[in-house]
Amino acid sequence: MGKMIYLDNAATTKTAPEVVEAMLPYFTEFYGNASTVYELGGASKKAMNEARDIIADALGAQSNEIYFTAGGSESDNWALKATADAYRSKGNHIITSKIEHHAILHTCEYLEKNGFEVTYVDVDENGRIKLDQLKKAIRPTTILISVMFANNEIGTLEPIKEIGEIAHENGILFHTDAVQAFGQIPINVDEYHIDMLSASGHKLNGPKGIGFLYIRKGVKIRSFVHGGAQERKRRAGTENIPGIVGLGAAVKRAVTTMQERTSKEIELRDYMIDRVLKEIPFTRLNGDRHLRLPNNANFSFQFIEGESLLIMLDMEGICGSSGSACTSGSLDPSHVLLAIGLPHEIAHGSLRLTLSEEITKEDIDFVIETLKKIVERLRSMSPLYEDFMKKSR
Ligand SMILES: *Cc1c(COP(=O)(O)O)cnc(C)c1O
């Protein structure tokens, strides 16, 4: 394989070498079960507690409010299903947005089949949730509002503080899927009125298959996995100590490098967005121009199929994504792009490029030059484009 330019960091990230390094001793040296009394088990427990402290510190939370899970999807499932269950006597209504990750949307559909009612609030053309609609959706039976911190496809940051305030003024719990935002945006759970927050290791240069759910003290939430007494009896199973240590190391790294890393990414992101919009005609940026994740750009190129674009970029060593990896392989356009009002044909020609700190300006220049050539070539083969050009002559 020649040089690869990896621009799919919203799908997953490279595990940082120092994270791998921190994990290694917990496979072969300190392999004890954290629930045992002897010293070997104690080493595992100590490492786990340290990771919990690092994560709690990063969020302004208490250590005993952090529960380890197997990742973002599990945390989202847990937050929704277990609060629905615990607060059923109070009400059966949940509010979320139309642009959530499928870990939220499909869980909501499951809950709807089990007697819950869900309101899916609209977003505006930039992907920001409509707060007036959210307020109007509140009923006496509303038990939970779940809105993502930042969207995984178009990068838009949601007005989390305002949503948290609305939830708490109305005595409603507030959960946020912060899988994309955590590690890129400073988050304080008190400032944002967050009761539950989902995050995942592999989206922030940590290992795959480990994540956590923050649950504010006092929130009634049922156990998600029944069995042993791990995670304060709420999530049974022998702890994934290497994963937990890796997650702790990744969070520490993300917090200490955040300022420098994200300002560099924002600069390159904006450079790329400006050039692509200026140099490639019939192109639009999806998501808010400024209220977006530091590393996210999402474009739609008219008259083009996103999948063909991805394949041709791959042949040049460039990894990107059309919409989200979860929907790749299906021909339905992304629910997020439809929710911001894009017609099907434009949604189909979309490309998400998500940066990391390893990406350089030279990489971006190469990507832009390559994109220009590929878009031109694909358009030259497109009957739609030919028609359009004939008509506009
Ligand atoms: C990736 C992602 C998830 C799922 O996390 P996993 O750890 O892969 O299960 C959930 N929500 C958002 C917003 C994501 O980007």
mmCIF file of all heavy atoms in Angstrom, residues 48-91:
data_model
loop_
_atom_site.group_PDB
_atom_site.id
_atom_site.type_symbol
_atom_site.label_atom_id
_atom_site.label_comp_id
_atom_site.label_asym_id
_atom_site.label_seq_id
_atom_site.Cartn_x
_atom_site.Cartn_y
_atom_site.Cartn_z
ATOM 1 N N MET A 48 -8.029 0.599 37.167
ATOM 2 C CA MET A 48 -9.398 0.925 36.762
ATOM 3 C C MET A 48 -9.872 2.203 37.457
ATOM 4 O O MET A 48 -10.466 3.080 36.829
ATOM 5 C CB MET A 48 -10.321 -0.254 37.116
ATOM 6 C CG MET A 48 -11.768 0.017 36.827
ATOM 7 S SD MET A 48 -12.755 -1.480 36.898
ATOM 8 C CE MET A 48 -12.717 -1.827 38.656
ATOM 9 N N ASN A 49 -9.563 2.305 38.738
ATOM 10 C CA ASN A 49 -9.987 3.506 39.475
ATOM 11 C C ASN A 49 -9.299 4.758 38.946
ATOM 12 O O ASN A 49 -9.907 5.832 38.886
ATOM 13 C CB ASN A 49 -9.718 3.331 40.973
ATOM 14 C CG ASN A 49 -10.690 2.329 41.586
ATOM 15 O OD1 ASN A 49 -11.753 2.053 41.004
ATOM 16 N ND2 ASN A 49 -10.339 1.765 42.729
ATOM 17 N N GLU A 50 -8.027 4.593 38.548
ATOM 18 C CA GLU A 50 -7.312 5.756 37.997
ATOM 19 C C GLU A 50 -7.983 6.225 36.708
ATOM 20 O O GLU A 50 -8.167 7.422 36.493
ATOM 21 C CB GLU A 50 -5.847 5.391 37.721
ATOM 22 C CG GLU A 50 -4.987 5.490 38.988
ATOM 23 C CD GLU A 50 -3.605 4.853 38.821
ATOM 24 O OE1 GLU A 50 -3.194 4.596 37.661
ATOM 25 O OE2 GLU A 50 -2.966 4.604 39.861
ATOM 26 N N ALA A 51 -8.348 5.256 35.865
ATOM 27 C CA ALA A 51 -9.008 5.620 34.604
ATOM 28 C C ALA A 51 -10.341 6.315 34.883
ATOM 29 O O ALA A 51 -10.700 7.311 34.247
ATOM 30 C CB ALA A 51 -9.234 4.378 33.754
ATOM 31 N N ARG A 52 -11.056 5.806 35.873
ATOM 32 C CA ARG A 52 -12.350 6.405 36.223
ATOM 33 C C ARG A 52 -12.159 7.854 36.697
ATOM 34 O O ARG A 52 -12.942 8.733 36.331
ATOM 35 C CB ARG A 52 -13.001 5.574 37.338
ATOM 36 C CG ARG A 52 -14.494 5.368 37.156
ATOM 37 C CD ARG A 52 -15.116 4.689 38.359
ATOM 38 N NE ARG A 52 -14.844 3.268 38.480
ATOM 39 C CZ ARG A 52 -15.500 2.326 37.807
ATOM 40 N NH1 ARG A 52 -16.442 2.642 36.948
ATOM 41 N NH2 ARG A 52 -15.192 1.053 37.970
ATOM 42 N N ASP A 53 -11.095 8.077 37.487
ATOM 43 C CA ASP A 53 -10.818 9.439 37.970
ATOM 44 C C ASP A 53 -10.500 10.388 36.815
ATOM 45 O O ASP A 53 -10.951 11.538 36.801
ATOM 46 C CB ASP A 53 -9.624 9.426 38.939
ATOM 47 C CG ASP A 53 -9.948 8.720 40.256
ATOM 48 O OD1 ASP A 53 -11.144 8.482 40.533
ATOM 49 O OD2 ASP A 53 -8.992 8.385 41.004
ATOM 50 N N ILE A 54 -9.694 9.901 35.870
ATOM 51 C CA ILE A 54 -9.309 10.753 34.726
ATOM 52 C C ILE A 54 -10.561 11.192 33.955
ATOM 53 O O ILE A 54 -10.725 12.360 33.605
ATOM 54 C CB ILE A 54 -8.359 9.978 33.770
ATOM 55 C CG1 ILE A 54 -7.011 9.721 34.444
ATOM 56 C CG2 ILE A 54 -8.175 10.733 32.456
ATOM 57 C CD1 ILE A 54 -6.119 8.730 33.697
ATOM 58 N N ILE A 55 -11.455 10.226 33.726
ATOM 59 C CA ILE A 55 -12.665 10.520 32.944
ATOM 60 C C ILE A 55 -13.579 11.472 33.720
ATOM 61 O O ILE A 55 -14.095 12.452 33.174
ATOM 62 C CB ILE A 55 -13.393 9.217 32.578
ATOM 63 C CG1 ILE A 55 -12.507 8.384 31.653
ATOM 64 C CG2 ILE A 55 -14.740 9.507 31.929
ATOM 65 C CD1 ILE A 55 -12.965 6.947 31.488
ATOM 66 N N ALA A 56 -13.750 11.190 35.012
ATOM 67 C CA ALA A 56 -14.607 12.052 35.833
ATOM 68 C C ALA A 56 -14.062 13.481 35.833
ATOM 69 O O ALA A 56 -14.815 14.447 35.644
ATOM 70 C CB ALA A 56 -14.685 11.499 37.253
ATOM 71 N N ASP A 57 -12.757 13.626 35.992
ATOM 72 C CA ASP A 57 -12.125 14.954 35.981
ATOM 73 C C ASP A 57 -12.394 15.685 34.682
ATOM 74 O O ASP A 57 -12.651 16.887 34.663
ATOM 75 C CB ASP A 57 -10.599 14.811 36.124
ATOM 76 C CG ASP A 57 -10.179 14.778 37.587
ATOM 77 O OD1 ASP A 57 -11.067 14.929 38.447
ATOM 78 O OD2 ASP A 57 -8.969 14.595 37.844
ATOM 79 N N ALA A 58 -12.314 14.941 33.574
ATOM 80 C CA ALA A 58 -12.491 15.557 32.262
ATOM 81 C C ALA A 58 -13.889 16.136 32.099
ATOM 82 O O ALA A 58 -14.105 17.050 31.302
ATOM 83 C CB ALA A 58 -12.209 14.534 31.159
ATOM 84 N N LEU A 59 -14.854 15.603 32.857
ATOM 85 C CA LEU A 59 -16.250 16.026 32.699
ATOM 86 C C LEU A 59 -16.757 16.876 33.858
ATOM 87 O O LEU A 59 -17.906 17.322 33.845
ATOM 88 C CB LEU A 59 -17.162 14.792 32.614
ATOM 89 C CG LEU A 59 -17.068 13.928 31.364
ATOM 90 C CD1 LEU A 59 -17.834 12.631 31.573
ATOM 91 C CD2 LEU A 59 -17.632 14.682 30.162
ATOM 92 N N GLY A 60 -15.909 17.081 34.869
ATOM 93 C CA GLY A 60 -16.375 17.760 36.086
ATOM 94 C C GLY A 60 -17.374 16.904 36.847
ATOM 95 O O GLY A 60 -18.313 17.414 37.453
ATOM 96 N N ALA A 61 -17.184 15.587 36.796
ATOM 97 C CA ALA A 61 -18.116 14.656 37.441
ATOM 98 C C ALA A 61 -17.431 13.966 38.619
ATOM 99 O O ALA A 61 -16.243 14.190 38.884
ATOM 100 C CB ALA A 61 -18.580 13.614 36.424
ATOM 101 N N GLN A 62 -18.174 13.140 39.350
ATOM 102 C CA GLN A 62 -17.592 12.306 40.410
ATOM 103 C C GLN A 62 -17.206 10.957 39.807
ATOM 104 O O GLN A 62 -17.891 10.471 38.913
ATOM 105 C CB GLN A 62 -18.632 12.055 41.510
ATOM 106 C CG GLN A 62 -19.255 13.302 42.101
ATOM 107 C CD GLN A 62 -18.247 14.083 42.901
ATOM 108 O OE1 GLN A 62 -17.431 13.521 43.617
ATOM 109 N NE2 GLN A 62 -18.283 15.406 42.751
ATOM 110 N N SER A 63 -16.154 10.333 40.368
ATOM 111 C CA SER A 63 -15.705 9.044 39.821
ATOM 112 C C SER A 63 -16.806 7.988 39.869
ATOM 113 O O SER A 63 -16.917 7.164 38.969
ATOM 114 C CB SER A 63 -14.486 8.554 40.591
ATOM 115 O OG SER A 63 -13.426 9.448 40.359
ATOM 116 N N ASN A 64 -17.618 8.017 40.925
ATOM 117 C CA ASN A 64 -18.655 6.980 41.026
ATOM 118 C C ASN A 64 -19.872 7.249 40.135
ATOM 119 O O ASN A 64 -20.880 6.572 40.229
ATOM 120 C CB ASN A 64 -19.066 6.747 42.486
ATOM 121 C CG ASN A 64 -19.655 7.998 43.125
ATOM 122 O OD1 ASN A 64 -19.945 8.977 42.435
ATOM 123 N ND2 ASN A 64 -19.816 7.971 44.434
ATOM 124 N N GLU A 65 -19.739 8.251 39.278
ATOM 125 C CA GLU A 65 -20.795 8.502 38.289
ATOM 126 C C GLU A 65 -20.394 7.984 36.898
ATOM 127 O O GLU A 65 -21.144 8.151 35.930
ATOM 128 C CB GLU A 65 -21.093 10.004 38.200
ATOM 129 C CG GLU A 65 -21.671 10.576 39.501
ATOM 130 C CD GLU A 65 -21.820 12.091 39.476
ATOM 131 O OE1 GLU A 65 -20.865 12.789 39.048
ATOM 132 O OE2 GLU A 65 -22.867 12.591 39.885
ATOM 133 N N ILE A 66 -19.205 7.379 36.801
ATOM 134 C CA ILE A 66 -18.704 6.876 35.507
ATOM 135 C C ILE A 66 -18.855 5.355 35.477
ATOM 136 O O ILE A 66 -18.326 4.650 36.343
ATOM 137 C CB ILE A 66 -17.211 7.241 35.315
ATOM 138 C CG1 ILE A 66 -16.976 8.754 35.470
ATOM 139 C CG2 ILE A 66 -16.684 6.721 33.968
ATOM 140 C CD1 ILE A 66 -17.697 9.629 34.469
ATOM 141 N N TYR A 67 -19.551 4.841 34.482
ATOM 142 C CA TYR A 67 -19.785 3.398 34.340
ATOM 143 C C TYR A 67 -19.183 2.933 33.024
ATOM 144 O O TYR A 67 -19.561 3.444 31.957
ATOM 145 C CB TYR A 67 -21.291 3.104 34.362
ATOM 146 C CG TYR A 67 -21.941 3.456 35.679
ATOM 147 C CD1 TYR A 67 -22.336 4.765 35.953
ATOM 148 C CD2 TYR A 67 -22.134 2.491 36.653
ATOM 149 C CE1 TYR A 67 -22.908 5.095 37.178
ATOM 150 C CE2 TYR A 67 -22.710 2.812 37.882
ATOM 151 C CZ TYR A 67 -23.088 4.119 38.132
ATOM 152 O OH TYR A 67 -23.654 4.448 39.333
ATOM 153 N N PHE A 68 -18.273 1.953 33.099
ATOM 154 C CA PHE A 68 -17.656 1.461 31.864
ATOM 155 C C PHE A 68 -18.617 0.555 31.097
ATOM 156 O O PHE A 68 -19.361 -0.243 31.698
ATOM 157 C CB PHE A 68 -16.358 0.726 32.179
ATOM 158 C CG PHE A 68 -15.289 1.654 32.695
ATOM 159 C CD1 PHE A 68 -14.824 1.563 34.001
ATOM 160 C CD2 PHE A 68 -14.784 2.661 31.870
ATOM 161 C CE1 PHE A 68 -13.864 2.443 34.483
ATOM 162 C CE2 PHE A 68 -13.820 3.556 32.345
ATOM 163 C CZ PHE A 68 -13.356 3.441 33.653
ATOM 164 N N THR A 69 -18.588 0.689 29.783
ATOM 165 C CA THR A 69 -19.435 -0.121 28.899
ATOM 166 C C THR A 69 -18.564 -0.617 27.742
ATOM 167 O O THR A 69 -17.360 -0.346 27.710
ATOM 168 C CB THR A 69 -20.575 0.717 28.297
ATOM 169 O OG1 THR A 69 -20.009 1.715 27.432
ATOM 170 C CG2 THR A 69 -21.405 1.407 29.381
ATOM 171 N N ALA A 70 -19.196 -1.299 26.792
ATOM 172 C CA ALA A 70 -18.446 -1.782 25.632
ATOM 173 C C ALA A 70 -18.449 -0.772 24.481
ATOM 174 O O ALA A 70 -18.119 -1.123 23.356
ATOM 175 C CB ALA A 70 -19.005 -3.116 25.167
ATOM 176 N N GLY A 71 -18.818 0.476 24.740
ATOM 177 C CA GLY A 71 -18.740 1.482 23.687
ATOM 178 C C GLY A 71 -19.960 2.375 23.609
ATOM 179 O O GLY A 71 -20.863 2.308 24.456
ATOM 180 N N GLY A 72 -19.969 3.200 22.583
ATOM 181 C CA GLY A 72 -21.029 4.196 22.423
ATOM 182 C C GLY A 72 -22.407 3.575 22.262
ATOM 183 O O GLY A 72 -23.386 4.039 22.869
ATOM 184 N N SER A 73 -22.504 2.537 21.454
ATOM 185 C CA SER A 73 -23.825 1.937 21.199
ATOM 186 C C SER A 73 -24.419 1.377 22.489
ATOM 187 O O SER A 73 -25.602 1.567 22.769
ATOM 188 C CB SER A 73 -23.721 0.822 20.163
ATOM 189 O OG SER A 73 -23.218 1.335 18.955
ATOM 190 N N GLU A 74 -23.592 0.697 23.265
ATOM 191 C CA GLU A 74 -24.115 0.153 24.523
ATOM 192 C C GLU A 74 -24.534 1.274 25.477
ATOM 193 O O GLU A 74 -25.592 1.202 26.113
ATOM 194 C CB GLU A 74 -23.080 -0.751 25.215
ATOM 195 C CG GLU A 74 -23.661 -1.367 26.489
ATOM 196 C CD GLU A 74 -22.653 -2.158 27.319
ATOM 197 O OE1 GLU A 74 -21.840 -2.896 26.744
ATOM 198 O OE2 GLU A 74 -22.705 -2.031 28.555
ATOM 199 N N SER A 75 -23.725 2.316 25.566
ATOM 200 C CA SER A 75 -24.057 3.429 26.464
ATOM 201 C C SER A 75 -25.384 4.064 26.058
ATOM 202 O O SER A 75 -26.223 4.365 26.910
ATOM 203 C CB SER A 75 -22.940 4.472 26.443
ATOM 204 O OG SER A 75 -21.739 3.908 26.916
ATOM 205 N N ASP A 76 -25.578 4.269 24.756
ATOM 206 C CA ASP A 76 -26.835 4.853 24.272
ATOM 207 C C ASP A 76 -28.017 3.939 24.595
ATOM 208 O O ASP A 76 -29.067 4.393 25.066
ATOM 209 C CB ASP A 76 -26.766 5.081 22.749
ATOM 210 C CG ASP A 76 -25.905 6.288 22.383
ATOM 211 O OD1 ASP A 76 -25.585 7.094 23.273
ATOM 212 O OD2 ASP A 76 -25.565 6.425 21.186
ATOM 213 N N ASN A 77 -27.863 2.646 24.336
ATOM 214 C CA ASN A 77 -28.931 1.683 24.633
ATOM 215 C C ASN A 77 -29.278 1.691 26.109
ATOM 216 O O ASN A 77 -30.442 1.707 26.493
ATOM 217 C CB ASN A 77 -28.499 0.264 24.232
ATOM 218 C CG ASN A 77 -28.871 -0.058 22.803
ATOM 219 O OD1 ASN A 77 -29.864 -0.721 22.537
ATOM 220 N ND2 ASN A 77 -28.102 0.443 21.862
ATOM 221 N N TRP A 78 -28.242 1.687 26.921
ATOM 222 C CA TRP A 78 -28.433 1.641 28.363
ATOM 223 C C TRP A 78 -29.186 2.880 28.849
ATOM 224 O O TRP A 78 -30.195 2.788 29.556
ATOM 225 C CB TRP A 78 -27.069 1.505 29.064
ATOM 226 C CG TRP A 78 -27.154 1.296 30.542
ATOM 227 C CD1 TRP A 78 -28.278 1.059 31.284
ATOM 228 C CD2 TRP A 78 -26.059 1.296 31.470
ATOM 229 N NE1 TRP A 78 -27.942 0.909 32.617
ATOM 230 C CE2 TRP A 78 -26.593 1.050 32.745
ATOM 231 C CE3 TRP A 78 -24.681 1.471 31.325
ATOM 232 C CZ2 TRP A 78 -25.794 0.980 33.898
ATOM 233 C CZ3 TRP A 78 -23.875 1.410 32.462
ATOM 234 C CH2 TRP A 78 -24.441 1.162 33.733
ATOM 235 N N ALA A 79 -28.669 4.063 28.433
ATOM 236 C CA ALA A 79 -29.267 5.324 28.890
ATOM 237 C C ALA A 79 -30.766 5.349 28.586
ATOM 238 O O ALA A 79 -31.580 5.719 29.434
ATOM 239 C CB ALA A 79 -28.567 6.506 28.238
ATOM 240 N N LEU A 80 -31.129 4.945 27.387
ATOM 241 C CA LEU A 80 -32.535 5.060 26.983
ATOM 242 C C LEU A 80 -33.405 3.959 27.579
ATOM 243 O O LEU A 80 -34.446 4.230 28.173
ATOM 244 C CB LEU A 80 -32.641 5.053 25.450
ATOM 245 C CG LEU A 80 -32.658 6.445 24.809
ATOM 246 C CD1 LEU A 80 -31.452 7.264 25.190
ATOM 247 C CD2 LEU A 80 -32.781 6.354 23.297
ATOM 248 N N LYS A 81 -32.974 2.708 27.418
ATOM 249 C CA LYS A 81 -33.832 1.594 27.850
ATOM 250 C C LYS A 81 -33.988 1.569 29.364
ATOM 251 O O LYS A 81 -35.082 1.332 29.878
ATOM 252 C CB LYS A 81 -33.251 0.261 27.381
ATOM 253 C CG LYS A 81 -33.370 0.050 25.886
ATOM 254 C CD LYS A 81 -32.707 -1.266 25.497
ATOM 255 C CE LYS A 81 -32.625 -1.407 23.994
ATOM 256 N NZ LYS A 81 -31.677 -2.472 23.604
ATOM 257 N N ALA A 82 -32.881 1.818 30.067
ATOM 258 C CA ALA A 82 -32.955 1.673 31.517
ATOM 259 C C ALA A 82 -33.659 2.840 32.190
ATOM 260 O O ALA A 82 -34.316 2.662 33.211
ATOM 261 C CB ALA A 82 -31.565 1.458 32.096
ATOM 262 N N THR A 83 -33.595 4.062 31.617
ATOM 263 C CA THR A 83 -34.381 5.149 32.217
ATOM 264 C C THR A 83 -35.851 4.955 31.854
ATOM 265 O O THR A 83 -36.720 5.219 32.693
ATOM 266 C CB THR A 83 -33.967 6.568 31.745
ATOM 267 O OG1 THR A 83 -33.499 6.502 30.429
ATOM 268 C CG2 THR A 83 -32.947 7.181 32.642
ATOM 269 N N ALA A 84 -36.108 4.525 30.635
ATOM 270 C CA ALA A 84 -37.498 4.278 30.230
ATOM 271 C C ALA A 84 -38.135 3.322 31.233
ATOM 272 O O ALA A 84 -39.249 3.545 31.721
ATOM 273 C CB ALA A 84 -37.542 3.692 28.821
ATOM 274 N N ASP A 85 -37.413 2.288 31.551
ATOM 275 C CA ASP A 85 -37.893 1.282 32.483
ATOM 276 C C ASP A 85 -38.091 1.868 33.889
ATOM 277 O O ASP A 85 -39.136 1.702 34.517
ATOM 278 C CB ASP A 85 -36.836 0.156 32.500
ATOM 279 C CG ASP A 85 -37.385 -1.120 33.104
ATOM 280 O OD1 ASP A 85 -38.613 -1.226 33.241
ATOM 281 O OD2 ASP A 85 -36.562 -1.999 33.446
ATOM 282 N N ALA A 86 -37.082 2.597 34.365
ATOM 283 C CA ALA A 86 -37.123 3.099 35.745
ATOM 284 C C ALA A 86 -38.166 4.194 35.958
ATOM 285 O O ALA A 86 -38.675 4.367 37.058
ATOM 286 C CB ALA A 86 -35.734 3.601 36.146
ATOM 287 N N TYR A 87 -38.447 4.973 34.914
ATOM 288 C CA TYR A 87 -39.361 6.111 35.068
ATOM 289 C C TYR A 87 -40.733 5.856 34.442
ATOM 290 O O TYR A 87 -41.517 6.773 34.250
ATOM 291 C CB TYR A 87 -38.730 7.390 34.493
ATOM 292 C CG TYR A 87 -37.598 7.890 35.368
ATOM 293 C CD1 TYR A 87 -36.309 7.364 35.232
ATOM 294 C CD2 TYR A 87 -37.808 8.854 36.346
ATOM 295 C CE1 TYR A 87 -35.263 7.787 36.050
ATOM 296 C CE2 TYR A 87 -36.772 9.290 37.165
ATOM 297 C CZ TYR A 87 -35.506 8.758 37.011
ATOM 298 O OH TYR A 87 -34.486 9.178 37.824
ATOM 299 N N ARG A 88 -41.007 4.609 34.130
ATOM 300 C CA ARG A 88 -42.258 4.248 33.468
ATOM 301 C C ARG A 88 -43.496 4.714 34.245
ATOM 302 O O ARG A 88 -44.492 5.125 33.653
ATOM 303 C CB ARG A 88 -42.311 2.729 33.286
ATOM 304 C CG ARG A 88 -43.331 2.309 32.289
ATOM 305 C CD ARG A 88 -43.169 0.831 31.931
ATOM 306 N NE ARG A 88 -43.690 0.643 30.597
ATOM 307 C CZ ARG A 88 -43.178 -0.167 29.693
ATOM 308 N NH1 ARG A 88 -42.115 -0.878 29.978
ATOM 309 N NH2 ARG A 88 -43.724 -0.271 28.513
ATOM 310 N N SER A 89 -43.393 4.683 35.570
ATOM 311 C CA SER A 89 -44.565 5.076 36.356
ATOM 312 C C SER A 89 -44.809 6.580 36.260
ATOM 313 O O SER A 89 -45.910 7.073 36.452
ATOM 314 C CB SER A 89 -44.384 4.656 37.810
ATOM 315 O OG SER A 89 -43.249 5.307 38.332
ATOM 316 N N LYS A 90 -43.765 7.353 35.909
ATOM 317 C CA LYS A 90 -43.928 8.804 35.762
ATOM 318 C C LYS A 90 -44.507 9.162 34.385
ATOM 319 O O LYS A 90 -45.279 10.105 34.249
ATOM 320 C CB LYS A 90 -42.581 9.495 35.962
ATOM 321 C CG LYS A 90 -42.708 11.001 35.940
ATOM 322 C CD LYS A 90 -41.376 11.734 35.907
ATOM 323 C CE LYS A 90 -41.620 13.208 35.569
ATOM 324 N NZ LYS A 90 -40.563 13.802 34.781
ATOM 325 N N GLY A 91 -44.084 8.410 33.372
ATOM 326 C CA GLY A 91 -44.566 8.725 32.027
ATOM 327 C C GLY A 91 -43.940 7.843 30.977
ATOM 328 O O GLY A 91 -43.026 7.067 31.265
#
